[in-house]
Amino acid sequence: MPLSIFEMALRAQKSYNRLMEPVCRKWELTHNELDVLLFLANNPGQDRAVDIVRGRGMSKGHVSLSLRSLEKRGLVARREDGEDRRTARLTLTGGASQIAADGQAAQRDFYNRIRDGVTPEESRVMWSVAQKMVDNIRKLEREL
């Protein structure tokens, strides 16, 4: 029996977390801390805590705790936004570059492994369908 889209997403998340575990252990980070660090590394210009909350679907509390820990370790720095003093812009420090590289390598491994045997055409169709579904989910969120 084929997996539902929800079961597939849950299994993918579990597999992703397992592949990220060695990176977390090596650098003594929680999964949330690594997620925050990788979000900042992978999404230039999305450098506010609210961007991480929206982009990763993490709670404000988890993002805040993770940022506090990453700052304390000197891996993330905050600077005041020139236009809005209430907003802090986040940047990775040089100390985070190897951690980000290790995490990105694990991400590439994950994506390569789940796309094994998928043709470029199948991939294009999948992303087109997925984007339509995301658009429908966003529409549903606005209605609720």
Side-chain angles (χ1 to χ4, degrees), residues 23-92:
V23 179
C24 290
R25 276 195 312 272
K26 176 181 177 179
W27 296 102
E28 298 179 356
L29 295 170
T30 66
H31 281 279
N32 285 339
E33 290 166 347
L34 184 59
D35 280 349
V36 165
L37 193 145
L38 287 172
F39 182 87
L40 292 170
N42 293 335
N43 298 282
Q46 295 186 47
D47 58 356
R48 302 171 305 158
V50 69
D51 296 325
I52 300 167
V53 168
R54 289 179 186 151
R56 289 294 297 141
M58 295 171 69
S59 73
K60 290 178 185 179
H62 285 145
V63 170
S64 179
L65 286 172
S66 296
L67 285 170
R68 194 171 314 135
S69 174
L70 292 169
E71 284 180 274
K72 193 178 287 188
R73 291 182 59 180
L75 301 172
V76 171
R78 289 181 196 252
R79 63 177 165 72
E80 193 176 283
D81 184 308
E83 296 177 17
D84 183 355
R85 290 191 324 256
R86 297 170 299 169
T87 300
R89 297 292 177 171
L90 306 162
T91 56
L92 295 180

Side-chain angles (χ1 to χ4, degrees), residues 107-120 122-124 126-127:
Q107 287 177 324
R108 278 190 302 279
D109 181 39
F110 172 75
Y111 294 122
N112 288 337
R113 291 171 85 171
I114 66 170
R115 289 190 312 229
D116 186 39
V118 177
T119 67
E122 290 169 330
S123 188
R124 280 190 292 279
M126 179 190 70
W127 285 113

